[in-house]
Amino acid sequence: MASTQSAPKSLRIAVIGAGMAGILAATRLLEAGKHKFVVYEKADRVGGTWRENTYPGLTCDVPAHAYTYSFAPNPEWSSYLSPGAEIQRYFESVAEKYALDKFMKFGQEVTRCEWKNGRWELETAKGLKDTADVVIAATGVLHHPSTPDIPGLDTFAGACFHSAQWDHSVALDGKRVGIIGSGSTGVQIVSALAGRASKVIHIQRTPQWIMPTPNDPYTEEQKAAFRANPALIDEIRYSEAYTSAVRRFTEAIVDPDSPQMREIEAIVQKNLEDSVKDPVLREKLRPNYRAACKRLIYSSDYYQKVQRPDVEVAIGGIKQIEPNGVRMADGSLQEVDVLVLATGFHADRFVRPMRLIGRDGTDIDAQWSPTPSAYLGISVPGFPNFFMINGPTGPVGNFSLIDIAERQWGYIEHLLAALESGEARSVELKEETLRAYDERRIAAARKTIFGSGCNSWYLDATGVPASWPWSYDAFAEQTAKPRDEDYVCAA
Ligand code: NAP
């Protein structure tokens, strides 16, 4: 950053959220010898999305060794794709290893954060007040469950809950379970409950393309080898097979007419044709939009499970929910004892419902009306010394969000260094930087596969895909280091 020298400064930093990104920030601060920070977490333990989601079948569809901090490899992953409970334990173990507890304020939801007199003033739901030079918002992307507005939902006689609020007190064995929603979550739940419930009914408004993926367990010998030689873990994490797949995938997203996209389409189409024998079921499961328009689903067993006699696929709209089940638009009643709403999340709520007030009283709600945006998913004009990890318009897709978060953290570290060196008391993104970024971003986003004519959580309120619309490499390049011309530094 541009230099106007004054005394070095030890910053007080408030991190909001103790999920994957908050733990990342905390560990990186400690590793850099910075101890003047606090992590506010509304729940009673770390974990974020992996703490909240506990549904049967929960699995990360990114290879386990890639969905791992680069600085905390884990030789113990049980399989190529790790189950959710194991991921939660992993985050807890990293927090333990770095003794993060003493920096954590659990049960403290930050409800207000305001830039006043050159500092951030924070307040929690319990009335705790604090001030900080810098705020790092690590508040997650898919955090607020979306409950569908289906008539009669409250008349259902059995247990009914959202996938992210799983009620483990409800017995499922031998029950008829209806699952509404065919995203990654619904597909994983259906696969897990098939054979356990007496009947599984997968209610799909829109079918999804399914990418076949292996999910082999790691043997004890393999784990021992990983323990003895962490380079073997890196060989998986940075393998040509994985990194080139991510690169090809992001190139395909950016250019729907590319050979890379044709390759994805060919794989998922073949998967459907080869895997589903019954032509009627096959047509029920065939999407009428392009592969990867919605976030691609990776599954090793969904098509197998859905062909079981005790699994049924119900397509078309839902007319209403009745005490005994789900009345479909065609008049048929899907009778169920338990109803699971795998209906996704409010993907545009970044940071909120916290009241976030920036310089000159700018409210983030106004700034983000009609849709949220942040430069590289990190910075917003009007909000000095406020940086996000996995904020709006960052890359979200079929790759490791941990890697994205680590890149953003590397970028944020440069901004912190400018503040610590005394070069600046505050750094703030320029309005014209975000304006130019958004112009380019929106034009590019419309051309991505996400904008090719389907409905998904990628789309913002104006119908524009909100995810990073350029290549993975472009993100890596642009987050390598902040450019002086993008920020205003106030001494
Ligand atoms: P989602 O992808 O947003 O899917 C929501 C589903 O609910 C869609 O099938 C949607 O149908 C359906 N739905 C919503 N409202 C409905 C209504 N009123 N009537 C009927 N159907 C309705 O949500 P998700 O499956 O929870 O996944 C969200 C994201 O979480 C994923 O894309 C992924 O990024 C992440 N995730 C990741 C993993 C992983 O393995 N890494 C696992 C789970 C989730 P329409 O398609 O017709 O709108």
Side-chain angles (χ1 to χ4, degrees):
M1 308 296 299
S3 172
T4 50
Q5 211 50 46
S6 61
K9 185 173 178 192
S10 165
L11 301 171
R12 176 163 165 78
I13 299 173
V15 178
I16 305 177
M20 174 274 282
I23 296 172
L24 168 72
T27 58
R28 298 304 78 202
L29 287 168
L30 277 182
E31 287 275 287
K34 301 178 179 61
H35 297 259
K36 264 179 68 179
F37 70 90
V38 60
V39 182
Y40 286 100
E41 167 55 56
K42 68 179 173 184
D44 60 358
R45 61 198 175 111
V46 301
T49 195
W50 302 105
R51 179 196 61 228
E52 305 281 301
N53 283 274
T54 58
Y55 62 77
L58 173 64
T59 306
C60 180
D61 61 10
V62 174
H65 286 296
Y67 193 80
T68 307
Y69 296 124
S70 59
F71 53 87
N74 178 21
E76 312 305 331
W77 291 126
S78 63
S79 42
Y80 184 68
L81 306 178
S82 37
E86 233 178 90
I87 301 173
Q88 172 63 17
R89 282 199 298 279
Y90 169 73
F91 286 123
E92 286 170 356
S93 73
V94 174
E96 264 167 44
K97 182 176 162 201
Y98 284 84
L100 295 185
D101 248 27
K102 58 179 178 287
F103 299 93
M104 299 277 172
K105 290 205 184 297
F106 289 116
Q108 293 285 359
E109 178 177 3
V110 178
T111 48
R112 187 177 178 87
C113 187
E114 183 166 2
W115 180 253
K116 266 192 182 165
N117 306 319
R119 295 197 91 199
W120 285 103
E121 293 185 358
L122 296 94
E123 191 174 340
T124 71
K126 290 183 180 160
L128 187 77
K129 293 192 164 105
D130 197 357
T131 55
D133 300 296
V134 173
V135 169
I136 307 288
T139 45
V141 185
L142 298 170
H143 184 54
H144 299 285
S146 168
T147 304
D149 190 13
I150 303 174
L153 190 57
D154 56 348
T155 67
F156 184 62
C160 173
F161 45 83
H162 190 277
S163 57
Q165 296 159 334
W166 198 272
D167 185 345
H168 290 277
S169 70
V170 174
L172 300 172
D173 297 345
K175 294 278 166 58
R176 297 166 301 176
V177 184
I179 294 109
I180 300 179
S182 51
S184 305
T185 305
V187 162
Q188 290 183 349
I189 294 170
V190 167
S191 303
L193 294 188
R196 194 177 145 195
S198 67
K199 179 124 200 144
V200 171
I201 302 175
H202 195 186
I203 298 162
Q204 306 199 357
R205 182 165 66 184
T206 317
Q208 290 258 32
W209 289 109
I210 311 274
M211 175 66 82
T213 184
N215 189 15
D216 297 326
Y218 286 118
T219 62
E220 287 310 316
E221 289 73 28
Q222 282 173 303
K223 288 191 236 172
F226 293 147
R227 265 174 238 131
N229 182 9
L232 294 175
I233 295 179
D234 283 353
E235 277 178 25
I236 297 173
R237 183 185 177 97
Y238 303 109
S239 69
E240 175 58 19
Y242 176 64
T243 52
S244 72
V246 169
R247 185 167 292 113
R248 280 202 312 279
F249 182 76
T250 56
E251 286 163 359
I253 286 168
V254 170
D255 180 1
D257 297 322
S258 60
Q260 292 90 327
M261 183 49 77
R262 299 278 168 228
E263 190 191 346
I264 290 172
E265 283 172 334
I267 295 171
V268 296
Q269 280 164 9
K270 184 168 167 18
N271 190 28
L272 178 62
E273 303 304 335
D274 291 357
S275 308
V276 183
K277 304 294 169 221
D278 172 9
V280 176
L281 179 60
R282 199 187 308 135
E283 291 321 303
K284 277 186 178 179
L285 292 171
R286 189 186 300 281
N288 64 358
Y289 55 88
R290 295 189 63 184
C293 183
K294 289 170 183 278
R295 185 180 183 278
L296 211 49
I297 291 177
Y298 282 65
S299 175
S300 57
D301 59 358
Y302 176 72
Y303 281 153
Q304 255 168 284
K305 296 290 176 78
V306 89
Q307 292 177 83
R308 292 172 56 103
D310 49 5
V311 179
E312 198 174 308
V313 172
I315 56 167
I318 296 171
K319 183 164 175 254
Q320 61 191 36
I321 308 289
E322 299 179 3
N324 295 339
V326 181
R327 179 77 60 187
M328 304 298 290
D330 66 5
S332 62
L333 179 67
Q334 298 294 342
E335 286 190 76
V336 293
D337 305 306
V338 178
L339 194 55
V340 176
L341 307 174
T343 44
F345 300 85
H346 296 288
D348 61 350
R349 293 233 175 133
F350 292 96
V351 176
R352 295 161 295 177
M354 178 174 83
R355 273 306 293 286
L356 176 61
I357 315 285
R359 183 175 48 75
D360 302 330
T362 311
D363 193 320
I364 200 70
D365 283 337
Q367 171 82 28
W368 281 350
S369 178
T371 67
S373 180
Y375 185 54
L376 308 174
I378 299 172
S379 302
V380 186
F383 295 80
N385 296 6
F386 177 87
F387 311 118
M388 283 174 283
I389 304 175
N390 294 133
T393 79
V396 279
N398 291 96
F399 41 77
S400 172
L401 258 196
I402 294 187
D403 185 56
I404 300 302
E406 288 194 5
R407 290 178 191 283
Q408 289 173 320
W409 181 256
Y411 180 99
I412 291 168
E413 274 182 332
H414 287 283
L415 299 170
L416 295 181
L419 294 168
E420 282 162 332
S421 70
E423 281 175 33
R425 270 195 75 221
S426 69
V427 290
E428 180 184 335
L429 188 76
K430 289 181 183 168
E431 269 185 41
E432 57 264 36
T433 306
L434 187 65
R435 203 177 309 120
Y437 168 80
D438 273 343
E439 263 172 39
R440 288 189 299 118
R441 179 182 68 76
I442 290 166
R446 290 186 197 282
K447 294 185 197 148
T448 60
I449 195 73
F450 305 140
S452 65
C454 70
N455 187 29
S456 81
W457 65 264
Y458 284 136
L459 302 182
D460 69 18
T462 66
V464 174
S467 181
W468 178 260
W470 300 290
S471 70
Y472 204 84
D473 289 344
F475 186 74
E477 272 161 36
Q478 290 179 44
T479 49
K481 196 170 184 294
R483 299 183 310 179
D484 283 356
E485 64 268 33
D486 290 340
Y487 287 87
V488 179
C489 297

